[in-house]
Amino acid sequence: MPILFVDLETTSVREPWLPGGRQIWQLAVIRREDDGRETAYNRFVRLEELDLASATEQALEISRFHRHPALNGVAQQVCSGREIAELMVELTVDQPLWVGAAPWMDATDVLYLMQLNGLVAADAADVPWDFRLVCVISQLLGRTNLPPTADVGEMSAAVGVDQSAYAIHDALADTYFVRDVFDALRVTAG
């Protein structure tokens, strides 16, 4: 079964279907095929599509919104929300396993974006990926016996992954971190 390592950066944490709800502004995916080949995708939503008046300063600061390519005069990897939704339709056509650090939030946001763009029915009976979302943070908690509020870096260090080696809160860097923690958990499980 193919694996998708997914992370998003959003404009807030408010549910996306509520007025002023969060919007994806960066989506990153690493797709691992059954033979181990990997392809990385990194996309940013066009600024004009974002309701930044409803964004929270905290979310934009934590996600380092200032690095959005369009704010720095770069158009590479900037696309419409619809193009991001279409990419996710393409990447999930074979119901891959979804792995993330908060996969239920990210999967909800992606599914909502797909639905907004008419790419999945609002009353769809199923999701386009395997329903068993894998959260590496939950797996780390089970492995380390640290409290649920423990620092993620402290937890990942217990399986040999140094979080400080990644530009955390950049969706692409976060997907590499998630991938490396997932792989380390599988190695240390044996």
Side-chain angles (χ1 to χ4, degrees):
M1 170 184 294
I3 301 172
L4 295 184
F5 301 98
V6 183
D7 194 70
L8 311 175
E9 300 302 335
T10 62
T11 58
S12 74
V13 294
R14 184 179 174 88
E15 297 299 342
W17 54 84
L18 295 174
R22 68 180 174 259
Q23 293 177 280
I24 298 168
W25 68 265
Q26 183 187 10
L27 171 130
V29 179
I30 301 169
R31 181 179 162 100
R32 178 182 288 166
E33 303 300 339
D34 291 335
D35 64 5
R37 285 179 300 119
E38 293 182 348
T39 306
Y41 303 85
N42 190 27
R43 302 290 187 275
F44 297 84
V45 175
R46 291 183 188 133
L47 292 177
E48 57 270 16
E49 292 186 34
L50 300 174
D51 178 9
L52 294 176
S54 296
T56 65
E57 279 186 45
Q58 182 181 21
L60 297 180
E61 183 179 322
I62 289 170
S63 65
R64 300 182 342 215
F65 184 74
H66 66 273
R67 63 186 174 73
H68 190 294
L71 292 174
N72 298 295
V74 178
Q76 259 185 323
Q77 301 175 326
V78 177
C79 58
S80 69
R82 180 175 182 85
E83 290 169 306
I84 287 176
E86 289 171 345
L87 173 64
M88 289 306 291
V89 167
E90 177 186 327
L91 294 176
T92 59
V93 71
D94 52 0
Q95 292 192 302
L97 182 65
W98 183 304
V99 179
W104 49 89
M105 182 175 164
D106 293 348
T108 296
D109 291 358
V110 167
L111 189 61
Y112 184 70
L113 186 62
M114 289 173 160
Q115 188 270 325
L116 275 179
N117 285 283
L119 300 173
V120 295
D123 62 350
D126 209 349
V127 293
W129 42 81
D130 188 89
F131 71 94
R132 295 166 290 200
L133 303 174
V134 177
C135 178
V136 296
I137 304 302
S138 296
Q139 290 187 347
L140 283 169
L141 281 170
R143 184 70 57 86
T144 62
N145 295 319
L146 291 168
T149 56
D151 180 73
V152 173
E154 183 181 358
M155 288 188 280
S156 66
V159 295
V161 178
D162 178 6
Q163 186 187 35
S164 69
Y166 304 83
I168 297 303
H169 296 301
D170 169 290
L172 186 60
D174 289 349
T175 59
Y176 282 106
F177 174 72
V178 164
R179 181 204 60 191
D180 294 349
V181 168
F182 179 80
D183 290 345
L185 284 163
R186 292 178 56 161
V187 169
T188 59

